[in-house]
Amino acid sequence: NFRKPEHAIKYRQSAFSLIAYNFGDMGAMMKGKKAFDQKVFAERAVNVAALSKIPHEGFIDGTDSGNTDALAKIWSNKADFDERMMTFQTNAAKLAEIAATGSKKELKQAFGEVGKTCKGCHDNYKKD
Ligand code: ASC
């Protein structure tokens, strides 16, 4: 367990930083901002799939204030939030699977699905 609320906040933020870096690099390839490299893309997708399982645990009670962009709404809509987190994990796992063997078209679609889950949560539950 976390000893202090700020440890839980730091824990989830650390995971999100790693997710943003890996997903951002995949995004650069999808947008043609850098050359598409299937091997690198697939490695990043595996990273995101593993990392997607980390942040949820950090959203413990009493961590809606302090050094966080998380809105208190998370805890008054916890079932919805939890479900979105699970969808993120499921879609990230699918993307990793498709990235290993799939066509670029399939991969683009799966990448978009993960991006939607990021955005959905940010729009609803993150300070802008
Ligand atoms: C990213 C990133 C996000 C998501 C989101 C997807 O690369 O940092 O927060 O994608 O913009 O819509």
Side-chain angles (χ1 to χ4, degrees):
N1 282 3
F2 299 106
R3 276 188 299 111
K4 295 178 179 172
E6 68 250 40
H7 295 165
I9 292 171
K10 191 74 190 276
Y11 183 81
R12 69 201 190 208
Q13 287 175 344
S14 301
F16 283 132
S17 294
L18 298 170
I19 291 167
Y21 184 84
N22 281 275
F23 197 69
D25 196 56
M26 293 160 80
M29 287 186 210
M30 290 289 92
K31 289 183 201 143
K33 286 185 181 168
K34 70 185 275 185
F36 178 70
D37 180 328
Q38 167 116 25
K39 188 169 172 282
V40 173
F41 189 96
E43 284 170 359
R44 299 227 177 270
V46 167
N47 289 347
V48 171
L51 289 163
S52 71
K53 299 179 202 164
I54 303 289
H56 195 204
E57 197 178 351
F59 286 90
I60 57 170
D61 288 349
T63 58
D64 61 341
S65 62
N67 181 28
T68 180
D69 291 333
L71 297 177
K73 258 179 82 189
I74 288 170
W75 290 273
S76 51
N77 295 274
K78 201 59 175 36
D80 177 66
F81 181 79
D82 292 346
E83 195 184 315
R84 287 172 184 275
M85 276 294 202
M86 295 308 156
T87 304
F88 169 45
Q89 293 174 30
T90 304
N91 289 349
K94 271 185 210 158
L95 177 58
E97 210 180 293
I98 289 166
T101 57
S103 68
K104 199 168 170 192
K105 191 180 163 218
E106 288 174 299
L107 184 149
K108 224 168 190 150
Q109 155 80 15
F111 177 82
E113 290 303 317
V114 176
K116 270 189 232 164
T117 64
C118 300
K119 189 176 185 324
C121 238
H122 293 170
D123 288 351
N124 282 285
Y125 296 118
K126 189 179 178 224
K127 243 179 249 174
D128 24 54

